[in-house]
Amino acid sequence: LSGLSTNHDRMSRRIQLHIVLKVQAADVLLLDIIGVAKNIGAHPLAESASNMKLALRDTQEQSYFSLFDQYKVHLDSLMQDIRKYL
């Protein structure tokens, strides 16, 4: 039984590390998106990305899932505007 507990603890730590690394990668990507969005004047997109970046810190609520839908709306709108321009 102690072997099972040790394996469970080890697996739990590996899962936590994996999640932390994915969250860190998402944080860096969102920072890039925020910068580019602000530079091209896509302020609603930048604000949505900023909200998701802040939400990544809240590991209990995981509100970033619902914020992603809002982000996607702004991204789709920006892409439509770019297509119209071209």
Side-chain angles (χ1 to χ4, degrees), residues 25-57:
D27 188 71
V28 169
L29 179 60
L30 286 167
L31 184 60
D32 288 343
I33 291 169
I34 292 165
V36 171
K38 285 183 177 180
N39 282 335
I40 64 172
H43 299 291
L45 182 66
E47 185 177 343
S48 291
S50 292
N51 290 339
M52 281 198 309
K53 190 174 180 334
L54 290 173
L56 285 177
R57 295 183 187 144

Side-chain angles (χ1 to χ4, degrees), residues 24-86:
Q24 288 174 344
D27 188 71
V28 169
L29 179 60
L30 286 167
L31 184 60
D32 288 343
I33 291 169
I34 292 165
V36 171
K38 285 183 177 180
N39 282 335
I40 64 172
H43 299 291
L45 182 66
E47 185 177 343
S48 291
S50 292
N51 290 339
M52 281 198 309
K53 190 174 180 334
L54 290 173
L56 285 177
R57 295 183 187 144
D58 185 5
T59 57
Q60 298 301 315
E61 282 296 314
Q62 297 184 343
S63 59
Y64 44 86
F65 288 119
S66 61
L67 290 170
F68 180 77
D69 293 333
Q70 179 186 25
Y71 168 82
K72 185 168 175 1
V73 167
H74 293 299
L75 180 60
D76 290 343
S77 175
L78 174 64
M79 296 305 293
Q80 284 179 347
D81 288 344
I82 290 171
R83 283 187 199 101
K84 287 178 189 175
Y85 179 77
L86 297 175

